[in-house]
Amino acid sequence: MSSRKQLSDLQIAILRVLWRDGEASVAAMQEALRGDDRELAHTTVATLLTRLEARGIVRRRTEGRQFVYSPIVGEDEVRRSMVSALTDRLFAGDPSALVHHLIDEGAIDAEELARLKRLLASKQRKQGGGRDA
């Protein structure tokens, strides 16, 4: 598990804009984030993007007199890494303990539970497992 994918809420918000738009300048990013009840300085956004670039999460190119950033790392990879870290830290690396917690806390309704059962059955078939799901 790569620690380079552990991100703050603001870094995730920046990446969501890049995943949605494909690329953005610092000014465009600042404007896009303004809708999240944030008033970020241009320098703050630029610093965050520079740090993400240094970590190999985004890349930049020059367009005129400004930098334009685009994501290198996809949303699925970030999600996988962050969920893995959460599972490691809070559930001693046991994904079934995470799922058990979500079910016990009522975060999964009956419709979602049925969908998860289908997903588990499909995964089990792909792995050539039995019918214990």
Side-chain angles (χ1 to χ4, degrees):
M1 206 278 312
S2 173
S3 65
R4 75 178 194 151
K5 305 299 182 313
Q6 299 310 299
L7 305 170
S8 69
D9 290 345
L10 188 51
Q11 289 171 322
I12 292 169
I14 285 172
L15 282 170
R16 282 190 176 129
V17 171
L18 293 176
W19 290 327
R20 181 191 71 210
D21 297 346
E23 64 179 20
S25 67
V26 176
M29 181 65 63
Q30 182 183 16
E31 182 62 31
L33 293 173
R34 184 170 288 137
D36 291 342
D37 291 332
R38 293 184 180 106
E39 194 61 40
L40 299 171
H42 187 275
T43 54
T44 301
V45 175
T47 298
L48 287 164
L49 285 162
T50 299
R51 289 179 182 166
L52 288 170
E53 180 187 21
R55 292 170 66 186
I57 296 171
V58 302
R59 70 173 62 90
R60 75 175 179 194
R61 65 179 174 79
T62 304
E63 186 174 286
R65 295 180 51 182
Q66 64 183 351
F67 293 128
V68 176
Y69 292 86
S70 59
I72 294 173
V73 177
E75 188 172 3
D76 286 343
E77 185 178 350
V78 169
R79 185 180 293 133
R80 189 171 28 258
S81 178
M82 292 186 74
V83 168
S84 177
L86 173 76
T87 303
D88 288 347
R89 281 194 321 267
L90 296 180
F91 300 98
D94 182 2
S96 63
L98 170 60
V99 173
H100 188 269
H101 170 77
L102 292 172
I103 293 169
D104 280 354
E105 292 300 314
I108 298 176
D109 62 19
E111 183 178 319
E112 183 67 14
L113 186 57
R115 198 182 107 184
L116 288 171
K117 285 179 181 180
R118 290 189 303 273
L119 179 65
L120 288 169
S122 173
K123 181 75 169 178
Q124 194 169 29
R125 281 191 303 274
K126 287 178 185 174
Q127 291 180 344
R131 297 184 50 102
D132 295 338

